[in-house]
Amino acid sequence: VGRTVSVTDSTVVDFQKNGIDFRGAGLTGVATGNTATGWGPTPAIAQNGILWVSGAGGSASGNTVSGFQYTGAAPATSAGLLVFATSAPVVIASNVITDAQSSIAVASSTDVTASDNTITGTGGVLAALDVQSGGVLVANNNVISGATYGAAVVAGASLTLTGGSITGSGVG
């Protein structure tokens, strides 16, 4: 049974693991106009701002996401927006993401589009677009500045990057 959950014009702060968590097959999770703020650099837990997982699809637009940086043991990282283990479509568009270790992270998910997002980092931002094993991301017209890596793609992942810009990154 399909269902839709919308989170609109909300402020999400002082949470433990995930700010807005869309989880489960058949769920369409829509996040619009929200502010999700993590703890900033912390060794306590790898927080995520907005998450689609375990078959959930949906969209994020007009959100402001900031302060997601995990300083504890590798390989864990924090993400501003994370899409994990879903084949349902997820569209991430027109968001402002600041100081998120992996600003938009995709793993084991094959239908993700990120367009017209503004991603900035002032320290601790590892990858603006972080595509891990089994991840497929189509990124259009995103403006990225100040990340260590503007885009990071590992073996078994795919990134199609069109338009936009990557500036101030040690590695493009």
Side-chain angles (χ1 to χ4, degrees):
V1 173
R3 60 212 186 282
T4 299
V5 174
S6 296
V7 181
T8 304
D9 297 331
S10 298
T11 299
V12 182
V13 297
D14 200 25
F15 51 88
Q16 186 177 20
K17 178 66 177 162
N18 300 315
I20 299 172
D21 187 324
F22 299 116
R23 182 177 299 259
L27 176 66
T28 299
V30 179
T32 307
N34 302 293
T35 299
T37 306
W39 295 341
T42 180
I45 194 166
Q47 291 183 300
N48 302 299
I50 303 173
L51 165 74
W52 296 263
V53 65
S54 301
S59 64
S61 63
N63 299 290
T64 300
V65 178
S66 64
F68 294 94
Q69 298 175 12
Y70 179 63
T71 59
T77 62
S78 287
L81 294 104
L82 172 61
V83 183
F84 181 72
T86 184
S87 59
V90 176
V91 176
I92 299 168
S94 302
N95 300 285
V96 175
I97 307 155
T98 306
D99 293 334
Q101 190 171 21
S102 292
S103 300
I104 298 173
V106 178
S108 300
S109 301
T110 56
D111 191 0
V112 183
T113 303
S115 301
D116 303 309
N117 298 288
T118 300
I119 301 169
T120 58
T122 57
V125 177
L126 180 59
L129 303 174
D130 187 0
V131 189
Q132 296 295 315
S133 183
V136 177
L137 174 62
V138 175
N140 303 305
N141 303 317
N142 296 287
V143 176
I144 298 166
S145 63
T148 301
Y149 299 97
V153 183
V154 301
S158 172
L159 171 64
T160 302
L161 188 60
T162 306
S165 62
I166 299 174
T167 59
S169 297
V171 178

